[in-house]
Amino acid sequence: DTAVSQTPKYLVTQMGNDKSIKCEQNLGHDTMYWYKQDSKKFLKIMFSYNNKELIINETVPNRFSPKSPDKAHLNLHINSLELGDSAVYFCASGLLGVAGNEQFFGPGTRLTVL
Amino acid sequence: AQSVAQPEDQVNVAEGNPLTVKCTYSVSGNPYLFWYVQYPNRGLQFLLKYITGDNLVKGSYGFEAEFNKSQTSFHLKKPSALVSDSALYFCAVRDGPSGTYKYIFGTGTRLKVLA
């Protein structure tokens, strides 16, 4: 009964490949997020979806394309992977309309691009 | 734009001693402030938050934080540190207009509690 789950946990791939990471939440939240945590542990938001609608799109290369088939799922597809994409990617969820509501994070996907 | 700063990359404290992890913020309007903890190879876990009301906020695992408006600080504290508290701690502030809330995280502070 994991609240926010991500697959895969580890992803090792070659430069130039295309890969996807999946995220699911069973908390009934209406908003989901993707974060990137780099090797220095800095955490930066990439995207956010509210009820399947994109509401936050930070300065991210358009090789990254999020997709939300429903409000419980948010996937991240990455085209033409580069060395600099190596990082840990975290999915999170929350309730947008609740002021000050905290986010719940998944366990992360460690992406290594060789 | 809203921001938070964590001035210390690492804090070392002896087990049983009180600990403080510092956070300062810069916001326009009323701040919504959060603390999260990240254990190795895990996602972030929510510890506590300040929305309004009492300046001393109590959270999980015996942690508390004090909101100080005049000093624009939201320091995380615990009266008696445990070795198991060793982890990476993030302060965060909610940013954005209504309908597009996002959370801005600090750079993190690594807490090491020494036995």
Side-chain angles (χ1 to χ4, degrees):
Chain A
D1 57 346
T2 305
V4 183
S5 58
Q6 294 179 230
T7 53
K9 191 169 172 62
Y10 299 96
L11 192 49
V12 181
T13 188
Q14 300 286 333
M15 270 175 46
N17 284 352
D18 303 339
K19 289 294 178 186
S20 292
I21 307 172
K22 296 187 175 186
C23 178
E24 177 180 0
Q25 56 95 3
N26 62 5
L27 297 167
H29 290 160
D30 59 6
T31 305
M32 296 182 73
Y33 307 79
W34 277 114
Y35 288 87
K36 179 180 180 181
Q37 186 175 46
D38 64 21
S39 58
K40 293 186 177 178
K41 304 298 184 184
F42 296 157
L43 197 64
K44 195 166 183 336
I45 188 162
M46 301 172 69
F47 302 102
S48 176
Y49 272 76
N50 172 251
N51 286 321
K52 303 193 295 176
E53 186 177 335
L54 183 66
I55 59 170
I56 295 172
N57 186 351
E58 294 293 286
T59 308
V60 178
N62 57 16
R63 298 182 294 104
F64 289 78
S65 52
K67 278 195 174 56
S68 182
D70 56 61
K71 67 179 186 179
H73 296 83
L74 179 62
N75 304 323
L76 183 65
H77 187 75
I78 315 171
N79 289 326
S80 304
L81 278 155
E82 301 178 356
L83 293 177
D85 297 332
S86 295
V88 181
Y89 292 83
F90 287 102
C91 178
S93 71
L95 286 170
L96 188 66
V98 177
N101 189 65
E102 63 270 23
Q103 296 184 319
F104 291 76
F105 283 78
T109 296
R110 183 175 296 276
L111 171 65
T112 303
V113 182
L114 303 174
Chain B
Q2 326 279 44
S3 65
V4 289
Q6 293 181 244
E8 302 153 318
D9 288 338
Q10 182 159 317
V11 169
N12 294 331
V13 64
E15 187 174 31
N17 282 2
L19 70 87
T20 298
V21 182
K22 295 180 180 177
C23 173
T24 58
Y25 64 88
S26 173
V27 304
S28 53
N30 294 323
Y32 290 176
L33 296 159
F34 303 80
W35 275 103
Y36 288 83
V37 60
Q38 185 179 24
Y39 297 102
N41 301 313
R42 304 283 296 276
L44 277 71
Q45 295 178 36
F46 168 74
L47 276 180
L48 50 78
K49 63 185 175 185
Y50 173 81
I51 306 303
T52 187
D54 195 347
N55 288 344
L56 186 63
V57 177
K58 294 191 184 295
S60 307
Y61 312 122
F63 283 93
E64 57 190 29
E66 185 165 13
F67 172 69
N68 188 317
K69 190 171 183 177
S70 62
Q71 296 186 4
T72 61
S73 67
F74 188 55
H75 299 332
L76 182 69
K77 301 182 181 190
K78 188 172 182 181
S80 178
L82 300 172
V83 172
S84 57
D85 293 329
S86 298
L88 187 58
Y89 290 81
F90 290 95
C91 183
V93 65
R94 193 198 73 183
D95 189 14
S98 176
T100 62
Y101 298 140
K102 64 180 179 182
Y103 297 80
I104 309 298
F105 285 83
T107 50
T109 299
R110 191 167 299 282
L111 173 67
K112 276 197 174 179
V113 181
L114 309 167

